[in-house]
Every structure is written in C-alpha cells, then in structure tokens.
Amino acid sequence: MHAKIDLQRHSLRGIGLMVAGSALITLNDAVAKWLSSTYPVGQILTLRGAFFLVPVLALVWHGGGLRALRVHSIRGQAYRAALFVAASVLFVTAVGLMPLPTVIALTFASPLFITALAPAMLGEHVGWRRWLAVLVGFAGVVLIVRPFQEGWQWVALIPVAGALVSSLRDIATRRITAYESSASILFYAALAVIVLGLATSPFGWQPVAAFDLMLFALQGLAMGGAHYLMVESFRISEAALVAPFKYTGFIWAMIYGASIWGDYPDATTLAGAGVILASGLYILHRELMNKKHKT
C-alpha cells in the first residue's frame, strides 16, 4: 500500500517537474522574443549563454569537477555543438519574426524529423504506423506554414528548419552520450554559442540597460532550470508518463503570447498544432510499445 502511494507521489512529482520545465523553457523563448526587438541575435545568444553557464557549472561541480568536462571525442562534441548553435540561431530568429505559439508549434515537428531520419542515421527500424504518423504530422506543418496560400511568408520556414536541425542535434546527442557526460555536452554547447555570439559583436551590438540585463539573466537561468527539471522528471518517473507533458509548452506559449503581445493563434494554426502534437504523441506511444516488446 505504502509502495503504491510512493509510486503515485513520484509520478505526480515527475509530471509537475515536466510541466514546470516546459513553462521555464517557454519563458526563456518569450524573453528572447521580447529582447529581439532591441538586440541582435548574436548578442542575445551570448548573454543568455553566459547566464546559462551558471547552472551548467553547478552541474559540472556536482558531477565531479573538471573531470566531468573530459572530452572523449572532439569530433562528436564539435558536431553536436555546431548543431546546437545553428538551432539556437534559427529559433531566436524565428521568435523575433513570428508569433510565439506558432513558432513553438512548428518546433514540435522535431520528433517527426527524428523518426524519419532514424533508419538512415541510427539504423533503427520504423514501422508503417510511425511512418503514417510522420506524414500526418507533416500535414500539420503544412497547415501552419500554408505554402500554397497567396501572401505566405518564407519566414515560416525558419522554425521548420530549426526543428530539422534540432532533430539532428538530438540524434547526435544520442550517439555521444554513450561516452560523453551530460555536463560536458551542455558546457561545450553553451561555450560554442557564446563564442559565435561574441564574433558578431562588431555588427550592431547594443548597450545593455540594467533591466534588460536582468531579463538576460532570467532567460539563461530559466533555460538551465528547465533542462534540470526535465532531466529530474525523467529520472524519478517513467518516460511514458511524463514525456507527453512536454507538449504543455504550447499552452504556455499561448499564455505568454496572448498576455504580452496579444497574439492569438487562428483556427488553422490551432488545427495544425493539434495534428503535430497528436502525431508526436502517437510516435512516442509506438516507440515505448516497441521497447517493451524488446525487453
């Protein structure tokens, strides 16, 4: 009886951590959108990365100090860091140009790309059910982007490109976690973002107001806190239970978008987002079913 109660408590705690992590990562996105009206992308990434290093360094210290930063594959770390930088640039650019809920909905296409690329890049078998879910999910992307309508804007492709690059980053992460620590992966990715951002400093960086500096700190710490909460969520609860709650990020995006900018997604965007989220959840369900059959 007590074991059952403890399991329920852990499950509820895991769900709570995932919802809180999704709220924080979307808050980070909302702050990036707010700052993008004043500061260039490179400056946003650099200052956010500097504050993001604070929780990362705490993780390094907790993981054994400098030993946690040992690199076993320079090529693997560099490749993953480059993808992390590219995804960050695309995403911050997208939130500066488009409504936040629309961008978040399109970035949830990343699991669709991962599933489509898994046979070629990971050697994983993808059954016809998941292929069908991928096709349905991309139909949802088309609903949101609306490439066949008059007056459509090419900027809608930026978050789609970001989702593709994010899927490549996640595939690279799966590969290198076998021999690289989580602390080192996060540290070198953050360092790469900072270095790239600093390289853009001669091209239009702006003086930072005191209030905006606090926003940069909020952004970086929220991003670090989100990663920690999501990892903890998966650590204490089953993935099948907590993973679907990652999609609450779309709800948070609608809340932030409506309350700050007055952005309300139209019916077509909501329909497309619903299709993408449903497809992602079904793909997750099939993956977990396949893992159960293999064990």
Side-chain angles (χ1 to χ4, degrees):
M1 183 66 177
H2 289 294
K4 185 176 181 180
I5 293 175
D6 287 340
L7 180 61
Q8 290 176 341
R9 286 176 178 172
H10 280 297
S11 299
L12 290 173
R13 186 183 172 206
I15 292 171
L17 290 173
M18 179 58 72
V19 172
S22 297
L24 283 179
I25 200 69
T26 313
L27 175 62
N28 152 71
D29 302 331
V31 175
K33 180 175 178 63
W34 180 273
L35 293 169
S36 66
S37 63
T38 305
Y39 303 96
V41 172
Q43 188 173 7
I44 292 173
L45 292 177
T46 297
L47 294 177
R48 180 184 73 178
F51 286 106
F52 176 61
L53 274 180
V54 174
V56 171
L57 290 174
L59 181 62
V60 169
W61 177 79
H62 183 71
L66 293 178
R67 287 178 299 176
L69 297 179
R70 184 179 302 165
V71 174
H72 298 277
S73 171
I74 295 177
R75 182 178 178 181
Q77 286 274 19
Y79 176 64
R80 197 265 178 191
L83 291 170
F84 183 83
V85 169
S88 298
V89 170
L90 288 167
F91 192 77
V92 173
T93 301
V95 295
L97 298 172
M98 300 173 60
L100 184 62
T102 303
V103 175
I104 297 299
L106 289 172
T107 56
F108 281 137
S110 182
L112 307 179
F113 283 113
I114 291 175
T115 303
L117 293 170
M121 301 192 70
L122 293 172
E124 295 180 359
H125 172 72
V126 175
W128 68 269
R129 293 180 181 85
R130 279 188 287 169
W131 276 119
L132 182 60
V134 167
L135 293 175
V136 171
F138 282 131
V141 172
V142 172
L143 270 177
I144 297 175
V145 175
R146 308 172 206 183
F148 305 112
Q149 287 191 7
E150 185 178 353
W152 82 283
Q153 297 181 338
W154 66 269
V155 295
L157 296 177
I158 297 177
V160 178
L164 172 59
V165 176
S166 295
S167 69
L168 294 172
R169 177 203 63 204
D170 291 344
I171 289 173
T173 304
R174 286 190 192 181
R175 288 176 170 174
I176 68 174
T177 48
Y179 47 84
E180 304 285 1
S181 69
S182 297
S184 70
I185 292 171
L186 288 174
F187 176 80
Y188 292 114
L191 196 61
V193 168
I194 293 172
V195 170
L196 174 79
L198 284 173
T200 69
S201 59
F203 307 101
W205 275 37
Q206 301 296 318
V208 180
F211 178 73
D212 290 345
L213 186 62
M214 289 190 291
L215 289 179
F216 280 116
L218 173 64
Q219 188 186 17
L221 294 175
M223 187 176 180
H227 281 282
Y228 174 77
L229 290 174
M230 289 179 177
V231 169
E232 278 294 292
S233 176
F234 282 114
R235 187 179 68 82
I236 67 174
S237 302
E238 292 184 3
L241 177 67
V242 299
F245 288 90
K246 188 175 182 180
Y247 289 111
T248 57
F250 182 67
I251 298 173
W252 290 112
M254 288 195 294
I255 293 172
Y256 295 142
S259 59
I260 300 174
W261 295 279
D263 290 334
Y264 296 91
D266 59 24
T268 304
T269 300
L270 287 174
V275 171
I276 294 171
L277 300 187
S279 299
L281 288 172
Y282 182 75
I283 288 171
L284 173 65
H285 168 71
R286 292 301 307 175
E287 287 177 350
L288 293 171
M289 289 288 292
N290 290 337
K291 287 179 181 178
K292 281 186 178 180
H293 290 148
K294 290 178 181 179
T295 56

